[in-house]
Amino acid sequence: MTGFTAQEKLQNAQAISQEGDSRTPSTIPDHKQSLAEEIAAMSPEEFDLAEKKLIKKIDRNLVPWMTLLFTMSFLDRINIGTAKLAGLTTDLKLTSLQYNTASMIFFVSYVAAEVPSNLVLKKFRPSRWIPLIMIIWSIFQTTMGLVTNYHQLLALRFCLGLAESGLFPGISFFLTGWYKRKEASKRISLFFAGAVLAGAFGGILGYALSRMNGVGGKAGWSWIFIIEGLLSFVVGIASIFMVHDWPDQAKFLTPLEKEMVILRLKDDTGIMQEGTFSWKMVRSALKDWKTLCFMLMYIGCAEPIYRLFSPTIIAALGRFTTPQSLLLSTPPYVLAFITTMTTAYLSDRSGKRGIFLMFWSAMAAIGYLLFLVIPKRYPGALYFAVFLTTCSIAPCIATTIVWSGNTFGNHYKKATSMGFIFSLGNSGGIISSQVYRTKDSPRFLVGQGVTFGFSVICFIASVVMYFGLQRENRRREKTYGPAPGPGESNEWLSEEGKKRWGLEGMSREQIVELGDAHPAHRFIL
């Protein structure tokens, strides 16, 4: 909107305020003429200043708490690895197969519930759905510290996955409904970096809690589950007051600010933020080649991450005690935090996603290749491979999430596509829990080989997506000419715009259903 005249701003604001389908989705409110006129009356400098203040306000109210929520989520799902080192398998008399099954069962329910949960999040208020699932999973997590046999552990891990399934895809989807496409990477990467911090300090926290061995007649691994579960419960209760809804319902925004949020999104993607639920949109998401490609891309980096965040790999190097392994797992995560946020900054600044994914997935593949070829007698070199794989996979996860959220149009198609992307991707946890077998210790050659293959899959899918979207952008540019620029969002629906894009005779609902297939849309590469 920078540099536009008052008349141009008024035309665009009025175009939004006069749209008949202003209630689809819930992020698109009814706009009042007075607000449109107030925005139009701003000078370019005043609008820029108001926009900067608005973004900072949104950042303060959304990003820190979402980061905390995902940190707690990831801490709760990976602490079984720390509990194993603290005596879980010994006390419960678990075989290697039973431990791997207990690790895997979490992802079975997690994967199955991700798509339905994303649709529920869109249907109901995030400020109620997100705290609800967090409180439920914290109860399962806490009671996991009271189990006395394998079957109880298995049942609770299944329930934990079911409850946690809505958070990661839900937050990712939620944040894409607040920011422009080229603003999203830093925000989503920051909340994902909470998982990196969970890895960085989860080992230290787990070690500290394991020192409570014998307190209250409980083993150290029991206290890991109990204390971390209680922390999640407290955060879940607080989330009732801290989690906000979509822009039209967010209580921390003034009516004018709500109008500006919608105007910014419209200016970025036209009517692509809209959409109503229909099975046609679900089928459209399933048939879109981009959904499958992103699914392969995400499982390519998600499968490795569940074994990266485990001090078991370091313990298997053979030179370190359990406490040392827990503490040595921290530095690689600190580096991963740095690479994730640096990549996010550069990605948003350049407006590119694919080039970063190709680079980091290639680096990850090299790291896993080092695990396969370096002998055990060189623990320093193997520890370097831990650094390389960890700092490479973390930015791959965050960038894939952002790129998929930037790509799909129509609100419900995006919700469905992202749900399926997360579902297949997180099924990588099932694979990971089965290929890293205790009998393969200390080198875990089968697991490292499989994970090397998934890193290559991520690289190949990134290449295919990049050049596929580039080709489609060029085709649309050649056929229809340049896409609407800033301040031209009304071209998506005007009669002149319909004629320009070859959409004459189509209703508003039909145009909304086009989503990212709209000829005016250009994909971020």
Side-chain angles (χ1 to χ4, degrees):
M1 300 293 291
T2 303
F4 296 140
T5 65
Q7 182 179 5
E8 288 173 326
K9 286 186 290 187
L10 179 59
Q11 288 175 346
N12 289 313
Q14 286 176 332
I16 296 174
S17 66
Q18 293 169 0
E19 290 173 1
D21 193 19
S22 62
R23 276 293 174 184
T24 53
S26 59
T27 51
I28 310 298
D30 292 321
H31 301 279
K32 298 183 181 298
Q33 179 69 18
S34 60
L35 296 175
E37 292 174 350
E38 188 173 349
I39 293 174
M42 295 180 183
S43 67
E45 294 76 17
E46 290 173 332
F47 187 89
D48 286 346
L49 181 60
E51 188 175 32
K52 289 178 181 177
K53 289 182 177 179
L54 173 62
I55 294 173
K56 289 181 179 179
K57 188 175 185 180
I58 294 172
D59 287 343
R60 288 196 308 270
N61 283 274
L62 297 186
V63 179
W65 197 259
M66 293 299 177
T67 301
L68 176 61
L69 294 186
F70 188 61
T71 300
M72 298 306 301
S73 167
F74 211 88
L75 195 63
D76 285 348
R77 83 176 64 171
I78 67 171
N79 58 17
I80 191 171
T82 307
K84 177 185 179 182
L85 292 179
L88 170 70
T89 54
T90 301
D91 290 352
L92 296 186
K93 298 180 175 58
L94 301 181
T95 65
S96 174
L97 176 61
Q98 287 176 328
Y99 173 76
N100 285 347
T101 303
S103 299
M104 176 198 69
I105 199 69
F106 169 92
F107 297 100
V108 173
S109 55
Y110 189 96
V111 167
E114 282 185 294
V115 174
S117 182
N118 245 19
L119 295 176
V120 170
L121 176 69
K122 184 64 203 73
K123 185 70 174 178
F124 299 104
R125 296 173 60 184
S127 64
R128 294 295 175 262
W129 180 246
I130 291 177
L132 174 64
I133 61 176
M134 187 167 191
I135 291 170
I136 292 174
W137 100 53
S138 68
I139 294 172
F140 291 136
Q141 176 69 34
T142 303
T143 53
M144 203 178 301
L146 307 178
V147 299
T148 58
N149 58 60
Y150 164 66
H151 296 97
Q152 293 172 355
L153 177 66
L154 200 66
L156 286 173
R157 284 283 295 177
F158 180 88
C159 293
L160 183 67
L162 194 65
E164 275 198 37
S165 63
L167 190 76
F168 190 23
I171 291 178
S172 301
F173 174 51
F174 176 68
L175 290 180
T176 61
W178 280 86
Y179 295 100
K180 288 185 177 182
R181 289 180 294 167
K182 292 185 179 181
E183 298 170 345
S185 186
K186 290 193 293 291
R187 279 80 183 182
I188 292 180
S189 294
L190 183 59
F191 103 77
F192 175 75
V196 177
L197 292 177
F201 300 105
I204 297 175
L205 177 61
Y207 172 69
L209 294 177
S210 69
R211 303 288 291 177
M212 295 178 65
N213 185 47
V215 175
K218 296 293 179 186
W221 61 264
S222 294
W223 286 112
I224 293 174
F225 291 140
I226 293 170
I227 298 300
E228 292 182 4
L230 291 175
L231 287 174
S232 294
F233 181 80
V234 172
V235 173
I237 294 296
S239 295
I240 297 174
F241 310 99
M242 297 298 295
V243 175
H244 298 283
D245 290 310
W246 302 104
D248 64 317
Q249 299 171 321
K251 296 179 180 179
F252 71 92
L253 295 179
T254 66
L256 180 63
E257 290 170 336
K258 293 177 183 179
E259 179 82 6
M260 288 185 66
V261 171
I262 305 306
L263 186 59
R264 295 178 73 253
L265 296 176
K266 288 281 188 178
D267 203 39
D268 184 43
T269 57
I271 58 174
M272 283 177 54
Q273 289 289 325
E274 301 184 26
T276 55
F277 176 77
S278 69
W279 288 110
K280 180 179 179 180
M281 287 297 97
V282 174
R283 290 192 296 271
S284 174
L286 287 172
K287 292 189 294 185
D288 194 325
W289 71 271
K290 299 188 294 296
T291 301
L292 177 59
C293 195
F294 273 120
M295 289 168 72
L296 293 174
M297 194 186 306
Y298 192 64
I299 194 173
C301 53
E303 189 276 342
I305 209 163
Y306 291 108
R307 282 298 147 177
L308 276 179
F309 293 143
S310 174
T312 303
I313 298 295
I314 296 175
L317 298 181
R319 299 290 182 88
F320 309 109
T321 64
T322 294
Q324 288 174 332
S325 299
L326 291 169
L327 296 177
L328 284 172
S329 66
T330 298
Y333 299 129
V334 175
L335 178 60
F337 178 84
I338 294 172
T339 58
T340 299
M341 295 313 302
T342 301
T343 299
Y345 172 78
L346 295 175
S347 179
D348 273 352
R349 185 171 183 177
S350 65
K352 302 293 184 182
R353 310 295 187 217
I355 192 69
F356 295 98
L357 265 168
M358 286 183 268
F359 173 77
W360 285 121
S361 57
M363 290 298 100
I366 292 172
Y368 284 107
L369 193 59
L370 293 179
F371 278 126
L372 292 171
V373 300
I374 296 176
K376 183 187 173 184
R377 64 178 178 272
Y378 300 112
L382 290 169
Y383 189 44
F384 168 77
V386 172
F387 271 91
L388 182 58
T389 51
T390 306
C391 77
S392 300
I393 287 297
C396 282
I397 291 282
T399 307
T400 301
I401 296 168
V402 175
W403 201 9
S404 62
N406 288 166
T407 297
F408 296 102
N410 187 289
H411 220 59
Y412 277 95
K413 180 183 177 182
K414 179 192 291 188
T416 305
S417 294
M418 292 185 72
F420 278 105
I421 291 165
F422 282 113
S423 292
L424 181 67
N426 287 313
S427 66
I430 299 174
I431 299 169
S432 181
S433 63
Q434 296 302 305
V435 298
Y436 282 88
R437 303 171 299 184
T438 303
K439 67 179 183 180
D440 296 327
S441 180
R443 297 195 62 191
F444 298 103
L445 292 179
V446 173
Q448 305 292 24
V450 170
T451 304
F452 166 76
F454 274 101
S455 299
V456 173
I457 289 174
C458 182
F459 174 78
I460 294 173
S462 302
V463 172
V464 172
M465 181 63 69
Y466 180 85
F467 288 103
L469 295 184
Q470 183 183 69
R471 179 180 179 182
E472 179 60 19
N473 281 350
R474 288 175 177 172
R475 185 192 69 80
R476 294 182 186 185
E477 198 83 9
K478 182 178 180 180
T479 304
Y480 301 101
E488 299 176 349
S489 58
N490 57 319
E491 280 199 21
W492 292 71
L493 281 172
S494 66
E495 290 303 319
E496 183 180 346
K498 289 182 182 180
K499 184 176 180 180
R500 175 183 175 183
W501 307 117
L503 306 176
E504 299 97 326
M506 293 184 67
S507 67
R508 189 181 196 286
E509 291 73 16
Q510 290 173 319
I511 295 176
V512 169
E513 285 183 353
L514 289 175
D516 52 88
H518 194 295
H521 177 63
R522 299 294 181 271
F523 296 102
I524 284 182
L525 304 178

